[in-house]
Amino acid sequence: MSNKKLFGLYLHVPYCKAKCRYCDFYSAPGARGVPQAYVDALLRELAKNTRRPDTVYFGGGTPALLSPAQVEMLLRACDPLPGAEITLEANPDVVTQETLNGFRAAGVTRISFGVQSADDTQLRRLGRTHTAAGASAALAMAQKAGFAEICGDIMLALSYYSNAEFDATLALLKNGGCTHISAYLLKIEPGTAFAKYPPDGLPTPDEAADFYLYAVRRLEQEGYRQYEISNFARPGHEGRHNLLYWNCCDYLGLGPAAHSCLDALRSYWPGDVQGFIAGTVQPQPEGDCTAEDFLLMQLRLRTGLNLPQYAARGGQLTAAQRAFMRQCVAHGYAVWQDDTFALTPEGLVVQNAILEELI
């Protein structure tokens, strides 16, 4: 059993009460909870794992549809290391004081709520099934359950958006005890309800960029330091599991549409929940984790790309790339810090364009 390298486990729980209009994640109807047959399938696959994880992440879907007993069963099978970060995603309207107490007792250390907005009209437009008052109540219950790590999501640049809506949502999360906030721009993904019926009142790309930069400033003012393009935390409360992804460490994903990267080899499970339960589908190879992947991931982080580490993975910058990077610095899109090239918030706004030039 190897504990020499950081290792994370991701358990995908695809069940949802309802499909949000912007969501393109793999999901399945789950108003009555998570079938025990699905939990048994996860247990079957966990039994094949020989490494103890530093982090465990229950993602979805809506993992809070699991019962506390099911979470306890799965965590026992995960056998995390002492002090491991154990995260569970939740929708505010599917938790109760009893279930939150149960999740905490089962070993969950970090609860993450998809709040998105403090405006009820906006929530209905998004297809969310909770209200702002319900989100506030869920955060209060999480604090009462003893969670020291509480996370909240904010969506930016929504229909008819304003800085005032962002401020109200930030206040709701801050007052609810959030130590970590994810703030990200709405993206209309193919195959979603929003792709078929685009919402009215969406901001222009320039307006969306202004909302993003406003959010970065306000979050910093309230003590949430940006450490990744969409993630902000009080110092010491950064998400350890997602940092494994961005630092190209090892992680094993289980469940339909879950991805893994082990020893620099990527794989994924087909999006087939019934096939996963039956054991008739298996992970498919997805290619190597390359130096280019490392560059892409590291430039999501405010700490940036360390060139000696990039070189150790086989990466080599051309003269044209270095010249372009110097231009980014000159225009305020990036900074050099010793041997590290890091994007500023203004650079993160146009990250895709920068990466297209660099790759």
Side-chain angles (χ1 to χ4, degrees):
M1 187 176 296
S2 172
N3 295 323
K4 294 180 181 178
K5 294 193 295 183
L6 291 175
F7 172 63
L9 274 173
Y10 174 84
L11 305 183
H12 188 63
V13 182
Y15 299 93
C16 282
K17 284 174 62 178
K19 186 80 168 179
C20 297
R21 296 190 178 105
Y22 56 85
C23 180
D24 70 331
F25 292 155
Y26 180 81
S27 63
R32 297 182 180 179
V34 179
Q36 185 59 36
Y38 185 79
V39 174
D40 290 342
L42 287 174
L43 292 170
R44 178 193 69 219
E45 298 303 323
L46 282 169
K48 302 173 185 177
N49 176 51
T50 59
R51 294 175 65 179
R52 297 185 70 187
D54 302 271
T55 65
V56 179
Y57 195 102
F58 292 86
T62 310
L65 289 171
L66 289 162
S67 70
Q70 288 174 324
V71 171
E72 183 178 13
M73 196 181 305
L74 289 166
L75 285 178
R76 197 180 307 122
C78 291
D79 192 23
L81 289 164
E85 176 194 86
I86 315 293
T87 304
L88 185 138
E89 292 181 343
N91 285 350
D93 61 328
V94 304
V95 297
T96 64
Q97 190 66 65
E98 182 181 7
T99 58
L100 287 168
N101 292 345
F103 294 147
R104 185 70 193 93
V108 177
T109 65
R110 190 169 178 266
I111 192 86
S112 181
F113 289 106
V115 174
Q116 315 308 0
S117 176
D119 183 281
D120 286 346
T121 300
Q122 195 76 269
L123 291 170
R124 287 192 295 272
R125 192 180 290 128
L126 292 170
R128 303 295 291 175
T129 53
H130 68 275
T131 62
S136 181
L139 291 167
M141 288 190 291
Q143 291 182 83
K144 188 176 179 181
F147 283 100
E149 300 288 344
I150 302 175
C151 316
D153 291 354
I154 303 179
M155 295 190 77
L156 309 172
L158 302 171
S159 296
Y160 307 106
Y161 203 66
S162 68
N163 289 340
E165 181 177 339
F166 173 82
D167 286 338
T169 311
L170 174 56
L172 188 156
L173 297 181
K174 181 184 176 185
N175 294 338
C178 285
T179 54
H180 185 286
I181 293 176
S182 297
Y184 49 97
L185 295 165
L186 172 67
K187 185 178 179 183
I188 307 296
E189 299 285 1
T192 62
F194 272 180
K196 191 172 183 180
Y197 303 105
D200 295 329
L202 290 177
T204 66
D206 284 347
E207 290 169 336
D210 288 340
F211 284 129
Y212 174 81
L213 293 173
Y214 178 81
V216 172
R217 289 195 300 272
R218 288 289 295 117
L219 285 158
E220 295 271 2
Q221 288 168 2
E222 296 296 338
Y224 298 94
R225 183 177 60 193
Q226 185 180 36
Y227 68 99
E228 192 265 347
I229 186 170
S230 300
N231 286 276
F232 306 76
R234 298 202 182 283
H237 296 273
E238 295 81 5
R240 288 159 50 190
H241 183 83
N242 283 346
L243 280 167
L244 294 182
Y245 301 155
W246 300 322
N247 286 317
C248 292
C249 298
D250 281 2
Y251 58 91
L252 172 65
L254 299 177
H259 290 250
S260 302
C261 185
L262 298 170
D263 296 324
L265 295 175
R266 298 185 181 277
S267 62
Y268 71 96
W269 285 89
D272 180 354
V273 66
Q274 294 306 322
F276 180 74
I277 290 173
T280 56
V281 296
Q282 293 298 319
Q284 303 298 305
E286 200 174 17
D288 297 337
C289 181
T290 64
E292 183 176 290
D293 293 317
F294 183 70
L295 181 150
L296 290 169
M297 291 293 103
Q298 292 288 281
L299 288 183
R300 295 180 64 94
L301 298 169
R302 287 297 302 272
T303 50
L305 176 70
N306 179 274
L307 297 189
Q309 291 178 9
Y310 181 53
R313 291 173 177 262
Q316 188 172 9
L317 294 174
T318 66
Q321 285 174 311
R322 289 180 180 274
F324 174 71
M325 292 161 85
R326 288 193 294 271
Q327 289 180 0
C328 289
V329 173
H331 288 90
Y333 294 133
V335 293
W336 281 108
Q337 300 164 337
D338 298 323
D339 290 328
T340 297
F341 176 78
L343 298 183
T344 62
E346 290 75 13
L348 291 170
V349 168
V350 292
Q351 185 208 39
N352 286 341
I354 290 173
L355 292 176
E356 284 178 11
E357 283 287 335
L358 281 176
I359 299 301

